[in-house]
Amino acid sequence: MDTLYDSAWVLEQIEQIAQFSQDKPNITRLAFTPADHQARNYMSKLMENCGLNVEIDAIGNIIGQFQPADVESHVPVVATGSHLDTMPSGGKYDGVLGVLCGLAAVSRIRHRGEVKHPLKVIAFAAEESSRFNLANMGSKAMAGLAHIPTWKRLKDHNGVSLADELEAMGLLIERLATAACSQNSIKGFVELHIEQGQVLAQRKMNIGIVDTISAPTRLKIIVTGTAGHSGVTDIADRQDALVSAAMIVLSVRNIAAEYEYQGAVATVTALHTYPGTANVIVDRVELWVDIFGTVHENIVDILQEIKDAISSITEDYGTPAAIDVVTSEKAIKLDAAINRIIEKNCRQLNLRSMRIDSRTAHSAMNIARIAPSALLIIPCKDSINHNSREYTASYDIAAGLDVLTETLYQLAK
């Protein structure tokens, strides 16, 4: 083959995609922004250059397919992929690595031949929640989990709607259901991702094989107080929404600390104050809370403790609060058979592997609801993620790419 699809090739492409950012020298590619479209166009052309047929589905997922000449089109596919969009000031590797390693792996297999299933590489759209406050939209849509009435109402902080952004791409939100894959259309899905923790590095492991992916429960909390002049309103007479919000932040942190040893966490991820002027007491605060865990009962307990804490705080300070559970999903077990294949491949490649749970959401979590799915992770230096200092070594990428290639090949042959 003309191109050597190795870790050096993957790293070269990572650097190219890192140039597409809306706030250089940082890396920010919020979903469907001009920077994201630049990355999407680059990836589409890259897939075509690797010999794949490329299509865009109703949510904007980029799907590159290798169709072996002697394999009929209705045969279930073997798929891989991740995402291209980032968090604000994110990193080079999160998501992008999984798409590029998937493309490199399929390109390797394409030149091997002798496979009995088509292979797909998917760059899922809008997997990060940084723009529309809803994560994994591309994989949700593909899994048939899009709730169109809710998604029609989604807007970013500038008031731009998801529906408008899709329409600008020639897509209609009313047709999102057409992005869903039918049951049995995917034989297996394998995602590669950097670790968003430090277990692999601490244990000196090359590969993490994920058994369970925790799913997010996300809350939107509105605390309401009374505006007043910050210089003349007596402390005892105030209904300061920000004071209540500060107490809620501390309560969420303390509740989370009680459950962390059980693999669950909760975090206040965003806080917005209104009217937001220098000399006015805050009369409205919007908080966002993320809860992650692999045991559903723990998430339910955390949610109830947070609700109880909010009720007590807002009653004490005279600041009513409204709690909206924006999303509530259950953790999901990944496919045991594919995980055994990954484990065997690691042994044959003389790589150290371990079973692990993921406390962050991934595309595989949604695809697992319609097809056997797996998630393999590789170390990330100092567990720094969603940050410009995010880094994964070339030898770790090479290990992940080799395991991914062999796993996809064995599923497709």
Side-chain angles (χ1 to χ4, degrees), residues 319-358:
T319 51
I323 304 171
D324 180 18
V325 181
V326 177
T327 184
S328 181
E329 303 171 30
K330 289 187 177 181
I332 191 160
K333 292 279 188 183
L334 297 182
D335 189 75
I338 299 179
N339 278 351
R340 286 193 294 270
I341 294 172
I342 295 172
E343 208 162 39
K344 181 180 178 181
N345 288 335
C346 289
R347 288 195 300 269
Q348 292 179 341
L349 292 165
N350 295 315
L351 297 171
R352 289 169 54 83
S353 69
M354 66 178 290
R355 296 299 183 97
I356 194 170
D357 289 337
S358 172

Side-chain angles (χ1 to χ4, degrees), residues 127 136 139 191 193 196 213 358 360-366 375:
E127 290 292 277
N136 304 109
S139 55
E191 180 178 8
H193 206 279
Q196 294 171 299
I213 301 178
S358 172
T360 59
H362 292 279
S363 306
M365 152 185 104
N366 294 311
L375 172 65

Side-chain angles (χ1 to χ4, degrees), residues 93-172:
Y93 302 85
D94 184 335
V96 175
L97 181 67
V99 182
L100 288 170
C101 282
L103 183 54
V106 169
S107 297
R108 287 175 167 184
I109 295 168
R110 177 172 170 266
H111 286 87
R112 282 190 193 181
E114 299 181 356
V115 291
K116 299 177 181 179
H117 292 266
L119 290 122
K120 282 186 177 180
V121 182
I122 307 165
F124 291 103
E127 290 292 277
E128 296 287 12
S129 60
S130 48
R131 186 169 184 196
F132 296 106
N133 289 312
L134 183 65
N136 304 109
M137 285 193 278
S139 55
K140 280 188 173 79
M142 186 170 284
L145 301 174
H147 188 257
I148 296 175
T150 299
W151 289 25
K152 280 183 177 180
R153 298 193 297 270
L154 293 177
K155 294 183 179 181
D156 66 11
H157 292 305
N158 295 318
V160 180
S161 71
L162 172 64
D164 287 344
E165 287 291 34
L166 290 177
E167 186 174 358
M169 297 167 61
L171 305 173
L172 296 176

